[in-house]
Amino acid sequence: MTSPDPLAPALPSPLQEVRDDRFSARGVRLLLKRDDLVHPELIGNKWRKLVPNIEAARGRALVTFGGAYSNHLRATAAAGRLLGLPTVGVVRGQELADRPLNPSLARCSADGMRLHFVDRSTYRRKSEPETLAAILRAAGAEDAYAVPEGGSNAEAVRGCRALGAELRGRADVVAVACGTGGTLAGLAAGLDTEQRALGVPVLKGGFLEADIQALQERAFGARTGTWSLDDRFHFGGYARTTPELDAFAGDFERRHGLPVERLYVAKLLYGLVTLAGEGAFAPGTTVAAVITGRPFPAT
């Protein structure tokens, strides 16, 4: 088996209280679960989801999937470089093949990931066995270990259960931004029965609840833990931001000295501030926000 030593994490990640009058005025405590400090290159939930899959791969090359700004692709490429494993990234958007690589994909390439671009229609059908087989053949990755988009599968969900375990008894509500839902699926399973998990989707579409339940069923056999989603804070969808969100993130950085990643973390924090203002958290509630990433390039 490939040695995971180059991926050795700093666990448990720190839990820090921040004083923010938007919460304290409502009698609510805000904690930040600093999963952005777990590993210098596999940030937060990427480490928690990828390492179980790397162990399952047993030294085989890794092939995975993502869009042009995928944090998951970057993390997989970094893991491959650190471990000496070949990696292949199947990228959504054939039109990107003839364009200069954006900074995110350039980092993947610099880390040794071989990029294979597919048209968007084919990419949407990648879960169909015949389509997936054709993609892997075209990418020269038929013998590689396939990690799904976002890294979310049963192995990853079981890996994220430790995140919930680290937060047992520390907060009433634990909130996390959601892309494919694997982190929330595992987090909720690791919490105590009196705690609840809240997911803030960064994609629009309303499909995520069914996906998360399916992930939990594959990982644990049934829907597990108390969890819910609030899908009001996607700001137009994945990799989309607005001047309002950017201003909010900049203000949070100035208030608390935390570099705020825009695609996931900013949307999570904006959602929590909004919910606090709406009185969604009863006085005396402790809310923990899982900081799953940091800005790219890292600051």
Side-chain angles (χ1 to χ4, degrees):
M1 181 184 297
T2 301
S3 170
D5 288 347
L7 306 185
L11 291 175
S13 57
L15 185 65
Q16 69 180 69
E17 182 170 1
V18 294
R19 301 197 177 278
D20 190 308
D21 56 8
R22 294 167 294 187
F23 293 86
S24 59
R26 301 277 179 165
V28 177
R29 293 175 67 220
L30 176 64
L31 309 178
L32 304 181
K33 177 64 168 166
R34 296 294 304 274
D35 253 29
D36 57 313
L37 303 177
V38 164
H39 188 277
E41 297 194 65
L42 275 68
I43 310 301
N45 60 344
K46 302 309 176 189
W47 184 93
R48 295 184 189 272
K49 293 197 287 185
L50 261 178
V51 168
N53 277 284
I54 290 168
E55 292 174 348
R58 295 182 177 273
R60 295 159 61 193
L62 303 174
V63 58
T64 194
F65 308 82
Y69 295 92
S70 169
N71 293 327
H72 170 68
L73 285 182
R74 288 204 310 271
T76 304
R81 171 175 53 79
L82 291 168
L83 295 172
L85 282 177
T87 58
V88 179
V90 177
V91 184
R92 180 179 63 245
Q94 179 62 45
E95 72 278 5
L96 301 175
D98 299 322
R99 299 178 187 173
L101 297 178
N102 67 31
S104 185
L105 293 178
R107 174 72 64 83
C108 292
S109 180
D111 278 343
M113 176 173 275
R114 183 161 55 82
L115 302 175
H116 177 75
F117 297 88
V118 300
D119 67 85
R120 294 170 186 270
S121 175
T122 300
Y123 190 91
R124 283 193 295 270
R125 302 195 310 275
K126 65 186 180 301
S127 60
E128 300 171 5
E130 289 185 4
T131 302
L132 175 61
I135 291 172
L136 295 181
R137 281 196 303 273
E142 291 174 280
D143 297 325
Y145 179 89
V147 181
E149 184 176 29
S152 291
N153 57 12
E155 289 79 11
V157 170
R158 287 190 286 266
C160 288
R161 180 168 48 187
L163 172 60
E166 290 174 25
L167 285 160
R168 286 177 188 164
R170 308 297 297 275
D172 303 295
V173 179
V174 180
V176 66
C178 300
T180 50
T183 303
L184 179 65
L187 163 67
L191 294 173
D192 281 334
T193 55
E194 68 271 16
Q195 295 174 287
R196 66 181 177 95
L198 171 66
V200 174
V202 302
L203 294 84
K204 60 181 179 179
F207 56 85
L208 202 53
E209 181 165 359
D211 287 357
I212 293 169
Q213 180 161 328
L215 283 168
Q216 287 196 326
E217 289 171 351
R218 289 197 290 273
F220 309 121
R223 182 170 176 139
T224 306
T226 301
W227 56 270
S228 62
L229 299 170
D230 192 324
D231 60 5
R232 294 179 291 162
F233 307 112
H234 54 71
F235 285 86
Y238 184 70
R240 297 192 179 184
T241 62
T242 66
E244 179 186 11
L245 181 65
D246 193 58
F248 167 85
D251 175 68
F252 198 95
E253 289 173 336
R254 289 186 292 272
R255 287 173 183 250
H256 305 299
L258 172 76
V260 176
E261 187 272 333
R262 297 317 199 244
L263 305 187
Y264 287 87
V265 177
K267 296 177 181 183
L268 167 68
L269 295 171
Y270 185 99
L272 291 178
V273 168
T274 301
L275 287 165
E278 293 172 349
F281 307 121
T285 298
T286 297
V287 177
V290 181
I291 307 302
T292 50
R294 58 176 177 245
F296 176 79
T299 58

